Amino acid sequence: MALRKILTYPEPVLRQQAKKVEVFDEELKQLATDMGETMYDAPGVGLAANQVGVLKRVVVVDISKNDEAKEFITLVNPVISNGEGCVAGEEGCLSVVEYEAKVKRFQKIHVTAQDLDGKPLDFDAEDRFARIIQHEVDHLHGKLFIDHLSALKRNLYKKKLKKLLKSRV
Ligand code: NI
C-alpha cells in the first residue's frame, strides 16, 4: 500500500480523457488500494485515477456508514445513464485547492461499471452517492466541478489561485 500524490489544478493530466481499462490485473488492484488510501488520507470522499496521474477509467467512492469503518467501492469503466432530477449542492475537490461551490447534479442516476475482476456492476445511485459518482466520472473526462460554474465564478477562482500560488513561493 502506498499513498499517491494528488495532482492539483491546473495540472494538464486533469484535463485529459482517461482510457478504458481492458486488463484486470494486480496492478489495477494496487492502483485501487492506493487510491482508497490516498483518498482517506487527504481526506476526501471520492478520487479519480487522473488525480493521481493515471489515465485509466477508475474511480473510488466512499460508502462508509460511519467514521470507524471506512469503506469504499471501486468503479472501473463507469458509465452514467438516466439522470433524473436536479439538485444544487456544495462541492469541493482534492484537485481544486481552497474552493467550494454549489454545483447542480442529477438527484438520481443509473450506473454501469465493472469491479476489479471485470465483473459487471449495475445499480442506481441517489443524493450524496450520486453526486460523488457524477463528480468523479467528470474527472475521467477531464472535467472539473469548476467547469459547471459560470465563467465569472470560474475566473474569480483562477484569480484567487494565482494569488495563492504566488504567496506560497
Ligand atoms: Ni474532484
Side-chain angles (χ1 to χ4, degrees):
M1 295 213 288
L3 290 180
R4 307 235 182 165
K5 185 178 189 296
I6 297 176
L7 304 171
T8 57
Y9 176 83
E11 189 75 44
V13 72
L14 296 170
R15 290 311 199 180
Q16 291 180 311
Q17 287 275 349
K19 294 189 182 68
K20 191 177 179 195
V21 173
E22 311 273 7
V23 182
F24 295 81
D25 57 3
E26 280 309 309
E27 191 185 325
L28 182 71
K29 292 190 173 84
Q30 189 62 57
L31 172 67
T33 304
D34 290 353
M35 282 172 63
E37 201 185 343
T38 303
M39 168 176 78
Y40 287 130
D41 180 71
V45 291
L47 195 69
N50 302 45
Q51 295 180 273
V52 293
V54 178
L55 284 172
K56 287 183 180 172
R57 297 183 49 79
V58 178
V59 305
V60 293
V61 178
D62 174 54
I63 51 164
S64 304
K65 300 273 188 293
N66 56 57
D67 276 350
E68 281 87 66
K70 290 288 186 200
E71 197 185 341
F72 67 91
I73 56 162
T74 304
L75 302 176
V76 180
N77 301 325
V79 175
I80 294 170
S81 60
N82 295 344
E84 284 174 42
C86 176
V87 271
E90 202 78 356
E91 284 185 30
C93 177
L94 296 174
S95 292
V96 179
V97 295
E98 310 230 4
Y99 193 63
E100 282 181 7
K102 274 212 164 128
V103 180
K104 282 181 186 160
R105 301 279 187 189
F106 293 124
Q107 185 266 328
K108 186 179 174 186
I109 53 173
H110 186 74
V111 181
T112 53
Q114 284 165 283
D115 70 9
L116 287 167
D117 296 313
K119 289 196 197 101
L121 300 172
D122 194 306
F123 59 93
D124 289 325
E126 288 184 9
D127 303 323
R128 175 182 182 270
F129 188 38
R131 176 173 296 279
I132 301 172
I133 293 173
Q134 289 172 83
H135 177 118
E136 300 313 328
V137 170
D138 267 1
H139 275 299
L140 300 180
H141 297 295
K143 199 166 179 183
L144 299 170
F145 83 93
I146 49 174
D147 301 334
H148 289 276
L149 308 177
S150 66
L152 180 73
K153 276 191 186 164
R154 201 162 44 245
N155 285 329
L156 279 174
Y157 175 67
K158 284 181 188 168
K159 273 187 197 157
K160 180 183 157 157
L161 184 68
K162 248 188 203 165
K163 266 192 201 162
L164 193 76
L165 293 177
K166 253 190 201 164
S167 71
R168 284 182 184 176
V169 172

